[in-house]
Amino acid sequence: MSDDWDTVTKIGSKSGGGAAQRETIVRGKAALNAAQRSGAIVATEKKFTAGNASNKSASSEGQRLTKVDRSDDIVAPQKLDTKIAEAIKNRRAQEGFKLTQAQLAQKVNAQANDIKLLESGTAIKNQALLNKVARVLKISPKTGEPLADRH
């Protein structure tokens, strides 16, 4: 067993058979040696985050991906934040922009329905489209706040 804190060693398999051995995490060198002698499947996997992660958003995304990976049923995809959806709607209607949904969609090379879904907050989070819309409307794609004009 290595002293690497970023990996975890497991014994067993995830096969769905009824008589298959359950997967367990190795807690010591003796358990690892016993498993290797008995011929059990031994695997070492990389952890998503190690220790006290400073980047909490990346940590939560890793946890969400782990949940999706381990789940047998369908996990709902992330939706766009309603605060950003409102910011897109309000900025599009402001005096300096005055764009229809169709005009904005044409500027970002997307469908008008995609813009409608973005503004209603029911769209699945599409960061590429959100970045294009934010660039055209000069707002932050993360917060929805107007960006200062850069000359």
Side-chain angles (χ1 to χ4, degrees):
M1 193 160 97
S2 71
D3 292 330
D4 188 7
W5 291 97
D6 294 336
T7 59
V8 62
T9 303
K10 296 181 178 182
I11 300 173
S13 67
K14 284 187 168 184
S15 63
Q21 180 183 7
R22 260 188 84 86
E23 185 176 87
T24 59
I25 297 177
V26 173
R27 298 284 182 212
K29 200 164 194 107
L32 177 63
N33 290 337
Q36 287 174 334
R37 278 193 301 272
S38 69
I41 299 170
V42 178
T44 302
E45 297 177 359
K46 188 106 174 120
K47 292 181 181 178
F48 277 107
T49 57
N52 195 4
S54 60
N55 188 354
K56 294 296 183 191
S57 65
S59 174
S60 65
E61 180 63 14
Q63 290 173 353
R64 189 183 92 67
L65 290 174
T66 302
K67 177 182 174 187
V68 169
D69 187 42
R70 291 182 179 166
S71 176
D72 290 335
D73 48 328
I74 298 172
V75 177
Q78 289 182 327
K79 300 287 185 182
L80 185 66
D81 187 13
T82 55
K83 187 169 70 170
I84 296 172
E86 283 296 317
I88 292 171
K89 189 186 309 183
N90 294 338
R91 187 69 167 190
R92 185 178 59 80
Q94 279 182 355
E95 191 59 43
F97 297 96
K98 287 288 184 189
L99 296 168
T100 64
Q101 288 179 344
Q103 290 169 334
L104 180 58
Q106 187 176 17
K107 283 191 175 210
V108 298
N109 196 22
Q111 298 290 322
N113 191 42
D114 293 340
I115 303 299
K116 182 183 92 169
L117 292 173
L118 271 181
E119 289 184 356
S120 67
T122 58
I124 295 172
K125 192 170 185 178
N126 179 349
Q127 196 63 45
L129 178 60
L130 186 59
N131 288 339
K132 290 178 186 178
V133 169
R135 194 175 312 120
V136 168
L137 296 178
K138 297 180 182 171
I139 59 173
S140 167
K142 292 183 180 179
T143 62
E145 296 175 2
L147 298 176
D149 289 331
R150 298 178 188 155
H151 294 287

